[in-house]
Amino acid sequence: MAIPEYARANFETLVKAAKAGDLALMECSEVESGETRYVICAVGRDNGDYVMTPFGHLAPGNPYEAYIPPA
């Protein structure tokens, strides 16, 4: 299974932000459920303001139980 281009581009952006020290972990509320999520964000600047770009949330519990590799 090939990784889609959007996922590759987002991963490259995330790696660049990590190398530059521009990552943050933010507490957010999920829109659909209202549950608290801890979201990995790249931190940027726009005219002096901080811009947080979310990439995904940390899996609660044991992530080995939540995900399996493709068959």
Side-chain angles (χ1 to χ4, degrees):
M1 173 181 218
I3 296 174
E5 184 55 37
Y6 79 89
R8 287 180 198 272
N10 283 343
F11 183 73
E12 287 298 320
T13 301
L14 187 59
V15 168
K16 287 178 187 176
K19 287 180 179 179
D22 293 332
L23 287 182
L25 185 62
M26 292 181 58
E27 183 179 296
C28 299
S29 295
E30 187 176 282
V31 172
E32 289 185 23
S33 69
E35 290 185 51
T36 299
R37 299 283 185 221
Y38 299 97
V39 180
I40 300 167
C41 298
V43 181
R45 301 283 282 186
D46 183 23
N47 294 321
D49 294 327
Y50 288 101
V51 177
M52 309 302 257
T53 302
F55 281 92
H57 67 270
L58 298 177
N62 184 346
Y64 293 104
E65 295 173 357
Y67 306 103
I68 58 171

